[in-house]
Amino acid sequence: MASPSDRFRQTIFYALVMGRDAHGKPTLGPVSPVRARVQPSRRLIRDATGNEHLASHVIYTDAELTLLHRLWLPGEDKSDFNRARRPAAVDELVDGAGVVRFRKVWL
């Protein structure tokens, strides 16, 4: 039986925002790679605070990403924090047994 992750043929990088430094700049945990599927999207979604947001991409992955993570798409410079993208929403897709199969991350 095919798994959703069989279609994750791209690599993105992510890091967790651990806090802020004395100047208010976010400090990140280690940057890690993960397999994903990145798809351009022009969809109006609501973010965690209920505000409308026009998503430019949707990412499918089995990584445990949250709104506290920052992401770099394939080909982006992961050493440049200013290139990191902040998720607007994260949806978990759960199978009939209640197991999270993968996540949709809206940017």
Side-chain angles (χ1 to χ4, degrees):
M1 182 173 180
S3 167
S5 63
D6 293 343
R7 297 179 187 238
F8 302 159
R9 297 186 179 129
Q10 296 166 291
T11 300
I12 63 169
F13 291 86
Y14 69 96
L16 179 63
V17 175
M18 305 297 285
R20 300 206 175 260
D21 66 13
H23 302 287
K25 181 180 174 185
T27 56
L28 299 177
V31 176
S32 303
V34 67
R35 289 179 7 161
R37 178 175 160 220
V38 179
Q39 181 175 315
S41 174
R42 303 289 283 163
R43 185 171 177 183
L44 192 62
I45 62 167
R46 292 197 186 273
D47 65 15
T49 61
N51 295 319
E52 290 184 342
H53 178 80
L54 182 60
S56 62
H57 292 84
V58 62
I59 297 172
Y60 300 87
T61 184
D62 52 9
E64 295 182 18
L65 299 178
T66 68
L67 298 176
L68 297 177
H69 284 88
R70 297 299 178 265
L71 310 171
W72 292 265
L73 299 181
E76 292 182 339
D77 181 5
K78 61 188 176 289
S79 67
D80 183 358
F81 176 78
N82 294 322
R83 303 290 285 166
R85 298 171 188 247
R86 182 179 193 169
V90 178
D91 296 329
E92 293 182 335
L93 287 101
V94 180
D95 66 12
V99 176
V100 175
R101 298 289 298 201
F102 64 94
R103 289 167 180 80
K104 288 171 63 174
V105 181
W106 299 92
L107 302 176

